[in-house]
Amino acid sequence: MLKKICATTAVVATVLAGGSACSSNVKNEERGASQITSSYSGVPDSFKKHMQRLAIVQDASGVSIDAQLFALKGANSLNKGIEKFALKALKDGGAFNGKKAFQPIATPESEQADLDSFISEPGASTATPTATSDAASADITLNDEIVFAGGKYVVTRATAEVNGEPSVKLFVTDVEADETFPASKLFAGEEPPSDDDLADLSYGSNALPSYQGAEKSIDELSDLGKDVTKSGSEDPVDPTANNAHATGFSCALAPCVAITYDDGPGGGDLTDKLIKTFKKHDAHATFFVIGKNVKEYPKEVKAMVDAGHEVGNHSYTHAQLNTLTEPGVEKEIKDTDKAIENAGVDKPTLLRPPYGASNRAVDDAAKTTGKHVIMWDVDTLDWKTRSTPKTVSAVKANARPGAIILMHSIHKPTVDAADTILTYLKKEGYSMVTISDLYKGSTFKTGKEYFCKGYATALCSSPEHPYVTKDS
Ligand code: NI
């Protein structure tokens, strides 16, 4: 790679044309010694592990979609910008099907574009989609690609074509600060270029940007633009550093499932095994823990959260809460909260009543204690079958975007099923997220019951039906 050969420092008039890997800087000679640039050799392979692929290639209610997108895990400001652009294109193209929200569709990994197709090589400009598999036949095509990545900066282009109408948006992201700006901010002058002007933006091997076929000099760049150019020869910053829970796209665009495990922690190595398996698949779960078990195994609960998982309240004694008075329910909840906090974990915001047994008193107690009541729509019956293959089959048969899957972390056959389940879900194109991530960006109220998300069943929450309360 050129990266390490060309230092960030000024390589100026003394560089001979064609004489070194930094020969591209010879252009600076023509502009004078004050023209400080650096070199740029593209996005290193190591950066790809931070990228999340997402494809939507199925017909949704007669609308043909060919979306091939990437998000950068940990760069939430960029992901939100791309997601907003993509959701607008999907809505304009009719993919919302008259609903207020897009219902994501799971697309198998085999139909997703290669990671390489999301990366623009230095000097290669593309104003038209490059990652698409069958653009000509789709009503909506969507793509994005990295134009530049060096130091703490990433420059990204997103393109859409909706019924023949193209649109383009360019972003510059400071990955360290997780801030994203329009790419027009890269340039000096009173009238910054528009996104359309920048449609073919590219960075050459001298780390200077070009658009509309013309290369810009360092004097034409803003301070931000100069900073980006200077960082060309640096390895890109890891956007997921210090964040065990770095996410990519939200569940507004990505097909998500929330896997939940009840009744732990259980001692032995079951929790540890689950944590390792989920890490292997870059997946996250929610553990609804029983207060008295937390008191016995506090380290397991801390380990769950440290690994990026979510912990919810499953009562203190596994009581059937709808048989208790409201103060009785509150005591079960509060004692469990206390045990969880004593384990060094933040007070949970989620409650799963044992047996899914709720009533008004349970919901009211949940509201008083600041809890969302989380039910499920996929019951694996793992506690009953105690069978790894049957637990796997139950997930395969019932998983769909927005599902909340119920399992129990205290049974070995269930823990043994996790690797196969996660392999399957990932291959099908799902993101496995915590409950709070599943509902991020949606109406999510304490004291209300949630069974699933989307439009799959009447019990799912959607912008039209933000929550469902049983018995009401
Ligand atoms: Ni339970």
Side-chain angles (χ1 to χ4, degrees), residues 431-464:
S431 295
M432 288 68 78
V433 301
T434 62
I435 291 288
S436 287
D437 277 345
L438 183 69
Y439 287 103
K440 198 187 261 175
S442 313
T443 305
F444 195 38
K445 290 187 173 177
T446 56
K448 302 293 182 187
E449 298 180 13
Y450 296 85
F451 294 78
C452 43
K453 189 187 173 208
Y455 296 94
T457 77
L459 282 178
C460 290
S461 78
S462 67
E464 287 84 355

Side-chain angles (χ1 to χ4, degrees), residues 262-263 290 314 318 354-355 408:
D262 287 8
D263 293 1
I290 297 173
H314 194 45
H318 207 265
Y355 319 103
H408 297 78

Side-chain angles (χ1 to χ4, degrees), residues 17 68 80 120 182 205 223 244 255 259 305 354 372 382 384 391 419:
Q68 297 283 353
K80 271 187 202 163
S120 176
S205 54
D223 286 347
I259 296 174
V305 172
H372 309 89
D382 63 322
K384 199 169 164 187
T391 301
D419 190 42

Side-chain angles (χ1 to χ4, degrees), residues 139-403:
D139 299 323
I140 304 168
T141 63
L142 268 168
N143 299 96
D144 62 352
E145 64 181 336
I146 297 183
V147 178
F148 174 96
K152 62 180 184 175
Y153 294 109
V154 175
V155 180
T156 308
R157 165 175 39 243
T159 58
E161 195 167 318
V162 179
N163 298 321
E165 278 290 315
S167 58
V168 61
K169 208 158 183 63
L170 287 112
F171 306 97
V172 54
T173 304
D174 176 339
V175 167
E176 252 171 28
D178 196 3
E179 285 180 324
T180 292
F181 309 99
S184 57
K185 283 203 189 290
L186 292 165
F187 302 95
E190 282 175 13
E191 273 187 50
S194 68
D195 280 321
D196 285 339
D197 293 335
L198 294 172
D200 69 342
L201 179 72
S202 69
Y203 273 79
S205 54
N206 54 3
L208 283 169
S210 301
Y211 66 85
Q212 295 188 327
E215 187 180 274
K216 301 296 144 186
S217 72
I218 198 92
D219 296 332
E220 293 172 88
L221 303 179
S222 66
D223 286 347
L224 175 65
K226 285 174 187 161
D227 261 2
V228 169
T229 287
K230 278 180 202 160
S231 65
S233 56
E234 298 168 23
D235 275 334
V237 163
D238 175 359
T240 66
N242 307 320
N243 185 358
H245 190 202
T247 51
F249 285 123
S250 85
C251 301
L253 194 63
C256 298
V257 294
I259 296 174
T260 65
Y261 289 105
D262 287 8
D263 293 1
D269 63 350
L270 295 180
T271 298
D272 187 50
K273 267 179 122 173
L274 273 179
I275 287 173
K276 283 184 178 140
T277 306
F278 272 72
K279 186 176 165 65
K280 177 182 154 191
H281 293 280
D282 192 19
H284 294 103
T286 303
F287 292 87
F288 288 98
V289 294
I290 297 173
K292 65 179 168 61
N293 293 355
V294 175
K295 200 180 168 194
E296 198 167 345
Y297 305 110
K299 280 184 186 163
E300 290 189 36
V301 178
K302 182 76 166 61
M304 291 166 184
V305 172
D306 287 347
H309 304 293
E310 185 164 27
V311 166
N313 187 315
H314 194 45
S315 85
Y316 198 80
T317 64
H318 207 265
Q320 192 172 331
L321 298 181
N322 64 357
T323 64
L324 305 182
T325 59
E326 201 178 318
V329 178
E330 273 186 36
K331 183 169 165 44
E332 284 278 342
I333 295 172
K334 284 180 177 169
D335 287 352
T336 305
D337 279 354
K338 207 173 157 199
I340 290 170
E341 287 185 288
N342 286 344
V345 168
D346 287 348
K347 190 194 279 191
T349 60
L350 309 177
L351 170 72
R352 171 167 288 160
Y355 319 103
S358 69
N359 58 11
R360 183 51 57 97
V362 172
D363 290 346
D364 287 348
K367 189 167 186 185
T368 309
T369 54
K371 301 280 187 280
H372 309 89
V373 181
I374 306 301
M375 303 299 194
W376 60 87
D377 67 329
V378 176
D379 190 349
T380 60
L381 296 175
D382 63 322
W383 59 273
K384 199 169 164 187
T385 67
R386 306 283 176 102
S387 154
T388 297
K390 281 181 183 167
T391 301
V392 171
S393 300
V395 173
K396 284 188 180 178
N398 298 298
R400 61 183 166 221

Side-chain angles (χ1 to χ4, degrees), residues 409-421:
S409 59
I410 52 169
H411 304 308
K412 189 174 181 295
T414 301
V415 172
D416 288 344
D419 190 42
T420 312
I421 287 171

